[in-house]
Amino acid sequence: MQIKRDYYLNKLIDAKNDGLIKVITGIRRCGKSYLLNTLFYEYLLENDVPDDHIIKVALDDSDNEELLIPKNLSKYIKDKIIDKEIYYVILDEIQLVEKFEGVLNGLLRISNIDIYVTGSNSKFLSSDIITEFRGRGEEIKVYPLSYYEFMSVYDGDKLDGWVEYITYGGLPLIVSMGTDERKTAYLKEQQKNVYINDVIERNDIKNDAELVYLVEIISSSIGSLSNPKKLSDTFKSTAGLNIDPKTISSYLKYLEEAFIIEKTERYDVKGKKYMSTPYKFYFSDLGIRNSFINFRQNEETHIMENIIYLELRRRGYNVDVGVIESKERKENEFTYKQLEVDFIANKGNNKIYIQSAFSIPDEEKRKQEERPLLKINDSFKKIIIVKDYIKRSRNENGIITMSVFDFLLDPNSLDY
């Protein structure tokens, strides 16, 4: 089964031969290697690039152990370049090579090389793009399958697919597994022996039980406001453990660096400034999230919010949580209240305010969802996304309401 990942493939095609190192990052098992070694490789062959001008190295393959030594890897690649035509160099899991930045910077001095690398840990990649490559690298972040990609190969209707997707997530291998038992076992194995072990080994964590319990707490409260102090208090009240907020802050950073979670900060819409704390966490894959809590809490309200967040990030938006201070009068007294906009999505000069509302059963609920949006005094698009099967509409205040299925299944749903 071949899953098309045209959004990411087109990004690679657009960046081809631009003189920069293309760094493809993302959580393990999300399909980075497949994107490069299968989809992009096939594209190059179909566009008349000779096979011997595509240099592919899987650095996590034991057969290539000698190539983990920087000078060996550099020599191996240079020895394959025998003419002045363009060579496409694809290096999988480059962070396994010590001082890989020097190898890549050295290769950039060869004019007929176009370099693509993958990595699964931003500690070794994202920051290095800025500091070590000095403007000569660009990051292309890959997420697990979107609902649109998932449905392109799912044998069933979109509602059944939704239930499957919010339960088992979008790791590509999940799609080919036929039973719930296999999917559950796979996700639990990945969670324990790949994601958690990776974080523990990379950061030399001594108490792995603390790390796992932290992820379980976050998993149980996706989309809730939190910070290290609040999480430390939760440890104490629920498990009787005294864990310093600084330790928790380090753990959260490690989980972000492994692309397991993403942090979303709050933004004061009227004051036009970021608020340092608290903030929200969302998971890069809901199947992995569900595996941490043994598939118990499938509350669709918060899960839908996580899915909307991921879709916005896939489409290239920077995403914040909006906060609006509202002055209200009650019985001759004024009070100030903070209203929340679930997401402020920014891309260049484009901004969109989005509310995630699982259901709008009556007018009172609609007013509740519209209220923060109506307090925003600008002309940018304002959207409410609901799970209900409804036709896209725009009311007299300019607020658009659409179904989550229309939002997810139409890549251009935010453009009109």
Side-chain angles (χ1 to χ4, degrees), residues 115-162:
I115 304 172
Y116 302 77
V117 301
T118 74
S120 302
N121 189 286
S122 64
K123 181 178 179 181
F124 294 93
L125 290 163
S126 298
S127 60
D128 293 325
I129 292 173
I130 298 171
T131 58
E132 296 293 338
F133 298 158
R134 296 178 179 86
R136 290 173 290 182
E138 60 180 307
E139 181 180 18
I140 298 173
K141 188 168 183 179
V142 177
Y143 287 89
L145 300 180
S146 67
Y147 178 68
Y148 174 82
E149 291 169 326
F150 176 85
M151 288 304 298
S152 71
V153 292
Y154 178 73
D155 186 18
D157 64 33
K158 59 186 177 183
L159 190 55
D160 288 340
W162 171 265

Side-chain angles (χ1 to χ4, degrees), residues 11-24 36 40 43-44 49 53-56 77 81 84-91 104 107-117 136-138 140:
K11 276 182 169 290
L12 294 176
I13 295 169
D14 290 343
K16 190 160 65 76
N17 302 325
D18 64 0
L20 299 175
I21 299 168
K22 272 66 72 172
V23 185
I24 294 82
L36 272 182
F40 187 59
Y43 165 82
L44 292 175
V49 176
H53 281 58
I54 305 172
I55 304 170
K56 296 197 299 178
I77 294 170
I81 300 171
K84 294 185 179 181
E85 298 299 316
I86 292 290
Y87 284 79
Y88 296 88
V89 178
I90 298 174
L91 304 175
L104 298 180
L107 293 175
L108 274 178
R109 297 189 179 95
I110 303 172
S111 61
N112 59 328
I113 280 186
D114 194 22
I115 304 172
Y116 302 77
V117 301
R136 290 173 290 182
E138 60 180 307
I140 298 173

Side-chain angles (χ1 to χ4, degrees), residues 65-89:
E65 187 174 354
E66 289 189 359
L67 298 181
L68 299 182
I69 299 171
K71 65 179 182 180
N72 291 353
L73 178 61
S74 181
K75 183 178 186 306
Y76 174 82
I77 294 170
K78 290 176 180 178
D79 286 349
K80 287 184 173 291
I81 300 171
I82 58 175
D83 58 39
K84 294 185 179 181
E85 298 299 316
I86 292 290
Y87 284 79
Y88 296 88
V89 178

Side-chain angles (χ1 to χ4, degrees), residues 40 63 96 139 142 147 175 198 208 220 244 301 389:
F40 187 59
D63 290 342
L96 297 175
E139 181 180 18
V142 177
Y147 178 68
V175 180
D198 186 50
D208 59 324
S220 298
D244 190 275
T301 304
Y389 285 104

Side-chain angles (χ1 to χ4, degrees), residues 146-152 158 311 315 403-413:
S146 67
Y147 178 68
Y148 174 82
E149 291 169 326
F150 176 85
M151 288 304 298
S152 71
K158 59 186 177 183
E311 184 64 23
R315 296 187 189 185
S403 163
V404 70
F405 298 104
D406 290 338
F407 167 63
L408 295 172
L409 294 173
D410 180 359
N412 302 309
S413 58

Side-chain angles (χ1 to χ4, degrees), residues 102-269:
V103 175
L104 298 180
N105 279 327
L107 293 175
L108 274 178
R109 297 189 179 95
I110 303 172
S111 61
N112 59 328
I113 280 186
D114 194 22
I115 304 172
Y116 302 77
V117 301
T118 74
S120 302
N121 189 286
S122 64
K123 181 178 179 181
F124 294 93
L125 290 163
S126 298
S127 60
D128 293 325
I129 292 173
I130 298 171
T131 58
E132 296 293 338
F133 298 158
R134 296 178 179 86
R136 290 173 290 182
E138 60 180 307
E139 181 180 18
I140 298 173
K141 188 168 183 179
V142 177
Y143 287 89
L145 300 180
S146 67
Y147 178 68
Y148 174 82
E149 291 169 326
F150 176 85
M151 288 304 298
S152 71
V153 292
Y154 178 73
D155 186 18
D157 64 33
K158 59 186 177 183
L159 190 55
D160 288 340
W162 171 265
V163 174
E164 186 84 5
Y165 186 70
I166 68 172
T167 304
Y168 300 114
L171 296 184
L173 196 56
I174 283 288
V175 180
S176 63
M177 295 181 177
T179 66
D180 292 341
E181 289 79 8
R182 286 193 66 202
K183 294 170 187 174
T184 300
Y186 172 76
L187 289 167
K188 285 188 173 182
E189 191 275 333
Q190 297 300 308
Q191 170 240 110
K192 180 180 179 181
N193 296 321
V194 177
Y195 302 114
I196 290 299
N197 276 359
D198 186 50
V199 173
I200 290 169
E201 291 173 6
R202 287 183 187 279
N203 301 286
D204 195 26
I205 295 174
K206 304 302 182 185
N207 193 334
D208 59 324
E210 288 181 353
L211 177 68
V212 171
Y213 191 57
L214 174 62
V215 184
E216 290 173 356
I217 292 173
I218 300 171
S219 299
S220 298
S221 56
I222 51 173
S224 298
L225 292 171
S226 192
N227 59 29
K229 174 64 168 62
K230 188 174 180 180
L231 290 167
S232 178
D233 292 341
T234 301
F235 266 90
K236 189 171 183 178
S237 62
T238 61
L241 298 173
N242 288 311
I243 302 179
D244 190 275
K246 289 184 179 179
T247 300
I248 290 178
S249 182
S250 294
Y251 287 167
L252 292 171
K253 180 183 177 183
Y254 301 154
L255 293 168
E256 287 183 78
E257 288 174 343
F259 303 109
I260 294 171
I261 61 172
E262 291 193 13
K263 181 175 75 173
T264 306
E265 297 183 337
R266 295 197 302 162
Y267 182 76
D268 181 347
V269 177

Side-chain angles (χ1 to χ4, degrees), residues 375-391:
K375 295 287 183 180
I376 301 172
N377 188 27
D378 64 35
S379 59
F380 289 110
K381 195 174 295 181
K382 301 170 180 68
I383 299 174
I384 299 174
I385 299 176
V386 301
K387 165 121 186 268
D388 304 327
Y389 285 104
I390 61 167
K391 184 177 180 181

